[in-house]
Amino acid sequence: MYRILFSLAFILHFSYGIYAQETTFYQDVAVINGISEGLPTASIDQITIVGDTPTATTSSGQYEWKNSKWISKKNGDSPTPLPKYKGLPIEAGKVLAATNYGNTNYLGCENGLYVKIGHNKWKQELPYDQNYSWALKEVAALTVDSKGRLWFGAKQGVGRLEKGQWTLFTGKEGVPYNRFTSAASGPTGQVWFGTENGAFKVEDDKFFYRSNRRWLPHNHVNDIAVDVEGTAWIATQNGLAQIISKEMTYADKATHFTNQVEARHNRMGFICQSHLTEQFNINTSQLAISDNDGQYTAMYGAAQAFRYAITKDPKARELANRSFFALKWLVDITHEPGFPARVIIPVDWHEPVNEQYSKEYNRRHQKNDPFWKDIFPRFPLSEDGNYRWKCDTSSDELAGHYFNYGIYNDLIAETKEEKDAVKQVVADVTDHLIRHGFKLVDYDGKPTRWGSFDPDYFNSIWGWDQRGLNAMMMLSFLNVASHVTGDPKYDEVAEILREKENYDIYAMHAKEFFPPENAVPWDNNLGLMSLYGLINYEKNPERQIMYRIALENAWLHISKQKNAFWDGLYGAMAGFFTKKVDEGFFKPEELFIENPLFAKASIDRYYKSSLDNRYMTETLQRIPLDLIGYDMDNTHRLDIQLDPTPGQVKDMGWGNDTYSLPIDERGHVRLDRDATVLHDNEGNGYAEHEGTFYLLPYYLATYHNLIEP
């Protein structure tokens, strides 16, 4: 974790500048302290800060923070118990917390909040505001913030007293949990609360929940102290966490993630996640392979292409080129022109890849998944004998490839070699699909499991639910091919699919959203990346209107997921449409003449984007710098509402604002997952994910002027 902090400090001094005045924000970073930093294995019972020195008190003694280590403090004091308070009514119960406010004492007790009103006299406070009136229980947290306001944490929720007026907060207002243990105030008005299940910060009436191993070594918080820099020192039953807020810019963060990808996620030019041999330790990172190396490499290449278009940084151009030629290699290595492999690995790869997918494995797998393809070897040998490539390529891969092809062609390809290369690979892949009746056909002469884009498949019992997405994707591939190659045959093929097979009508419902088992989140990536090429390169005004309707239908179903990539793609494409309207591209009186009112009504309705970019900027700012996959459980929270959709699996839900929880509080950092999953696990600390999931939405949004940079 210290490597992240060092890298961040370096970035803040040396990151490149894109704009004269850049947006700044505060990035929370967690540093976990345990045995390796000098703490004992015992519970950290108390944390105090005297001057600039944090002191941790444990059952085995006290420890001082010096030179980034905890040093045993000789003759350290034991925790100071709360004194006995004379005159406190017996019905108040045990004293749980105490503070001074307004030159008097406040006590948090088992059965109420009490204020001293005279010599050995106490009065019970009954806080109320316009929404609530409380007789408090279990008032275990009290503090006074730097703005002179009293705060409590009790069973009912959180309260703030300012100028004699109470403001009360429950789960509805954002309180995530209510079994309090402690509270502490920071230098700029922020207040931290410790609970038996995580900690949270309140700042400007916004709540930031910090729980699970992403933020804490243990969820039971014993005590919190905040230093003059605003760093929260959080003592738990198993170690201590520092949560540091660092001011940075979007460009600073992009530099951090580009460095992260290049250091730990680049395998022969392919972008991949990494496996950690030691839980939570990025120093034990090993490059991994996945089914979607092509898609993830395409996304990284697109990010660098947008970066180059914005900054003209030659390094960005180099990385975009490297990614494109890696994608081209996936196509060039296989059994016939135009079939892209999923993965390429050296022949001496350390895992026994074919043995994992034996004939016996395939037959067993088909018992639970009847569409699983029985093909062996799944990793054929390359013609030169130096590599293996993975077959059974899916529509996910094609969506990534074509998304990259168009962007690479438009923003990067300058030399004859580059232009010829992109034209060739686009023609090869598209011609393969056409030659095989709109199917990806494997080396066994049969279609891949997820590679069917043909009319017979769409009209079958097993393909009808895919026809909207796959028909739209096929039209997108043809539009990209027409744009990149300039060959009119691709427009002619697309016209046949539209006029004879209704592909454009199918494309208007490009995503299934019900029943829940059909609504897999990565299909949103496929759909929106493919719509980007379809809408961007469509020349017919009637179809532009149809595809704009398809875009709105697809995005509205996911618009509350706080997904910066999906929001960015939607905003960019909605912007394409708005620009065409402003340029006079549409002549409503000449369109859809069988219903002369339809074109104008649609143009008026969809002229303006419905994007609220607040949620895109929130996600970009709050994507953690640490992309290790942690187990994150939010099912206990008070500020959520469960998804009542019939047939929905359990543990799905939203924040009480009806949007998904912020990304740094969720169980995933990848922007191809369902943000409404309340208990999620992306590797349980044994996987680090690639920074593309920040880089692509950031550079995409900046290029399309969707955020204030």
Side-chain angles (χ1 to χ4, degrees):
M1 186 61 72
Y2 283 103
R3 176 179 293 183
I4 289 177
L5 290 178
F6 175 80
S7 172
L8 179 56
F10 181 85
I11 289 165
L12 291 173
H13 285 288
F14 296 106
S15 64
Y16 56 83
I18 299 177
Y19 301 93
Q21 184 65 45
E22 295 181 275
T23 299
T24 60
F25 54 89
Y26 284 89
Q27 177 76 51
D28 279 1
V29 178
V31 181
I32 305 300
N33 294 186
I35 296 173
S36 60
E37 289 74 35
L39 287 174
T41 56
S43 172
I44 313 301
D45 299 321
Q46 189 178 63
I47 181 74
T48 57
I49 298 175
V50 179
D52 295 331
T53 305
T55 300
T57 302
T58 76
S59 59
S60 58
Q62 286 190 323
Y63 295 79
E64 288 185 326
W65 182 248
K66 293 183 177 180
N67 300 319
S68 299
K69 286 287 184 181
W70 292 98
I71 308 300
S72 179
K73 182 180 179 183
K74 295 182 179 179
N75 304 318
D77 298 328
S78 299
T80 303
L82 290 170
K84 295 188 179 297
Y85 295 93
K86 294 182 179 180
L88 186 67
I90 191 170
E91 60 268 21
K94 183 180 178 181
V95 176
L96 304 176
T99 194
N100 291 318
Y101 176 69
N103 297 318
T104 191
N105 298 117
Y106 277 78
L107 300 180
C109 303
E110 288 180 304
N111 296 312
L113 174 64
Y114 286 80
V115 57
K116 193 170 185 179
I117 58 173
H119 182 65
N120 294 337
K121 291 185 178 180
W122 300 86
K123 174 187 174 184
Q124 185 177 5
E125 283 279 299
L126 299 172
Y128 68 93
D129 65 5
Q130 60 183 357
N131 297 314
Y132 307 106
S133 179
W134 292 343
L136 298 174
K137 297 287 185 180
E138 300 174 18
V139 188
L142 286 173
T143 191
V144 177
D145 69 19
S146 62
K147 297 180 179 180
R149 302 175 297 185
L150 174 69
W151 293 78
F152 70 76
K155 184 177 181 180
Q156 287 80 0
V158 166
R160 182 184 67 219
L161 180 61
E162 182 177 15
K163 297 179 181 179
Q165 297 293 318
W166 285 103
T167 303
L168 305 177
F169 305 87
T170 68
K172 184 178 180 180
E173 288 75 36
V175 177
Y177 197 64
N178 64 349
R179 295 185 64 85
F180 292 93
T181 60
S182 52
S185 59
T188 58
Q190 69 270 52
V191 173
W192 280 89
F193 287 94
T195 79
E196 294 179 7
N197 202 339
F200 63 87
K201 175 175 62 174
V202 189
E203 192 166 22
D204 299 326
D205 289 354
K206 296 179 181 178
F207 291 75
F208 300 79
Y209 189 45
R210 301 294 180 240
S211 70
N212 300 290
R213 183 52 178 74
R214 176 179 291 154
W215 298 107
L216 303 175
H218 192 281
N219 268 6
H220 193 289
V221 174
N222 293 328
D223 198 15
I224 301 179
V226 184
D227 65 23
V228 293
E229 300 296 326
T231 297
W233 299 75
I234 303 177
T236 79
Q237 289 189 350
N238 183 29
L240 184 144
Q242 297 167 251
I243 298 183
I244 304 164
S245 289
K246 292 288 187 180
E247 188 175 19
M248 64 191 312
T249 67
Y250 291 118
D252 295 332
K253 198 166 181 177
T255 301
H256 166 81
F257 280 127
T258 298
N259 292 341
Q260 181 247 26
V261 171
E262 292 302 308
R264 295 190 296 278
H265 297 277
N266 170 22
R267 193 193 73 251
M268 303 188 304
F270 300 110
I271 305 306
C272 56
Q273 69 183 62
S274 63
H275 173 72
L276 307 181
T277 59
E278 180 184 326
Q279 194 178 33
F280 311 129
N281 186 354
I282 60 173
N283 295 319
T284 66
S285 173
Q286 290 184 344
L287 291 168
I289 61 176
S290 78
D291 277 354
N292 294 322
D293 278 8
Q295 185 187 93
Y296 300 146
T297 303
M299 293 168 72
Y300 183 67
Q304 296 301 334
F306 286 126
R307 173 187 166 193
Y308 177 70
I310 298 162
T311 68
K312 300 305 177 185
D313 185 339
K315 183 62 177 179
R317 189 173 191 281
E318 176 188 329
L319 295 176
N321 257 316
R322 188 191 72 194
S323 298
F324 166 73
F325 282 100
L327 295 176
K328 188 173 184 300
W329 187 20
L330 287 168
V331 177
D332 293 341
I333 199 173
T334 63
H335 61 290
E336 71 162 75
F339 183 89
R342 284 183 180 269
V343 174
I344 299 174
I345 53 174
V347 72
D348 59 352
W349 184 253
H350 62 275
E351 296 174 287
V353 289
N354 279 326
E355 290 79 355
Q356 293 179 23
Y357 299 104
S358 66
K359 285 282 189 180
E360 292 73 19
Y361 171 88
N362 289 338
R363 285 192 288 271
R364 287 197 309 270
H365 206 70
Q366 285 178 335
K367 291 181 180 179
N368 296 321
D369 183 358
F371 296 104
W372 178 260
K373 186 169 184 178
D374 184 8
I375 188 170
F376 185 86
R378 198 163 286 264
F379 284 79
L381 197 63
S382 65
E383 189 173 319
D384 62 10
N386 294 325
Y387 301 96
R388 293 190 181 279
W389 55 273
K390 191 173 187 181
C391 64
D392 200 23
T393 306
S394 73
S395 54
D396 305 63
E397 298 300 283
L398 287 181
H401 279 255
Y402 278 93
F403 180 66
N404 182 279
Y405 294 155
I407 292 167
Y408 176 82
N409 177 80
D410 295 350
L411 303 182
I412 298 294
E414 296 172 356
T415 68
K416 184 177 186 303
E417 178 193 6
E418 292 164 351
K419 290 179 179 295
D420 288 348
V422 67
K423 287 180 180 179
Q424 184 61 55
V425 73
V426 169
D428 283 348
V429 178
T430 314
D431 289 349
H432 171 96
L433 290 165
I434 296 171
R435 184 167 63 249
H436 292 287
F438 310 105
K439 300 182 182 70
L440 267 182
V441 174
D442 225 321
Y443 74 85
D444 63 353
K446 299 176 182 178
T448 66
R449 179 186 180 179
W450 297 111
S452 294
F453 304 88
D454 57 292
D456 288 344
Y457 178 68
F458 297 161
N459 293 322
S460 69
I461 189 65
W462 46 82
W464 68 269
D465 61 333
Q466 293 290 310
R467 67 185 180 191
L469 177 61
N470 283 21
M472 183 273 291
M473 291 176 70
M474 191 66 239
L475 292 177
S476 175
F477 302 159
L478 291 165
N479 266 15
V480 172
S482 173
H483 172 75
V484 171
T485 68
D487 192 330
K489 74 176 182 182
Y490 299 114
D491 291 329
E492 294 168 7
V493 172
E495 185 66 11
I496 291 171
L497 293 179
R498 288 189 295 262
E499 292 302 314
K500 292 188 175 181
E501 304 294 347
N502 295 319
Y503 272 40
D504 51 348
I505 301 298
Y506 294 158
M508 294 184 70
H509 185 84
K511 178 71 168 62
E512 285 291 312
F513 294 96
F514 195 84
E517 60 263 25
N518 286 357
V520 292
W522 41 89
D523 276 358
N524 298 313
N525 269 19
L526 276 63
L528 291 172
M529 285 195 293
S530 297
L531 276 166
Y532 188 89
L534 181 65
I535 291 176
N536 198 14
Y537 305 129
E538 181 53 56
K539 299 180 282 289
N540 181 285
E542 287 191 350
R543 290 194 289 271
Q544 274 285 1
I545 292 173
M546 294 169 67
Y547 300 152
R548 179 64 180 88
I549 295 170
L551 170 67
E552 196 74 12
N553 177 61
W555 182 76
L556 285 177
H557 285 84
I558 54 175
S559 60
K560 294 196 172 188
Q561 294 245 356
K562 293 185 178 178
N563 186 305
F565 183 41
W566 299 343
D567 287 0
L569 286 168
Y570 167 78
M573 289 183 275
F576 296 158
F577 186 81
T578 299
K579 183 179 178 182
K580 285 185 176 295
V581 175
D582 291 341
E583 292 173 344
F585 177 76
F586 301 101
K587 302 287 190 273
E589 65 280 1
E590 299 175 4
L591 305 177
F592 303 108
I593 56 175
E594 64 274 20
N595 185 347
L597 301 179
F598 178 75
K600 185 179 185 307
S602 297
I603 291 168
D604 291 344
R605 179 176 179 184
Y606 298 110
Y607 172 75
K608 186 177 180 181
S609 165
S610 49
L611 176 69
D612 186 338
N613 70 355
R614 289 178 300 169
Y615 303 105
M616 182 166 53
T617 56
E618 176 197 294
T619 296
L620 288 172
Q621 292 177 12
R622 292 183 65 169
I623 289 175
L625 296 183
D626 169 9
L627 297 188
I628 293 173
Y630 297 105
D631 185 273
M632 301 286 284
D633 187 356
N634 287 302
T635 55
H636 60 282
R637 291 177 60 159
L638 305 176
D639 57 339
I640 62 168
Q641 49 185 316
L642 295 177
D643 187 344
T645 303
Q648 186 63 278
V649 298
K650 67 175 183 176
D651 297 343
M652 306 284 283
W654 313 83
N656 274 335
D657 61 356
T658 73
Y659 282 79
S660 67
L661 296 173
I663 193 167
D664 56 2
E665 300 176 13
R666 305 197 297 250
H668 64 83
V669 291
R670 305 181 71 88
L671 295 181
D672 54 4
R673 298 292 189 265
D674 191 336
T676 66
V677 178
L678 297 175
H679 188 181
D680 209 351
N681 183 327
E682 286 188 329
N684 195 28
Y686 288 100
E688 185 192 37
H689 302 277
E690 59 275 25
T692 310
F693 296 97
Y694 172 85
L695 294 169
L696 180 51
Y698 163 58
Y699 286 122
L700 168 74
T702 303
Y703 178 77
H704 288 289
N705 299 312
L706 298 175
I707 61 171
E708 292 292 331

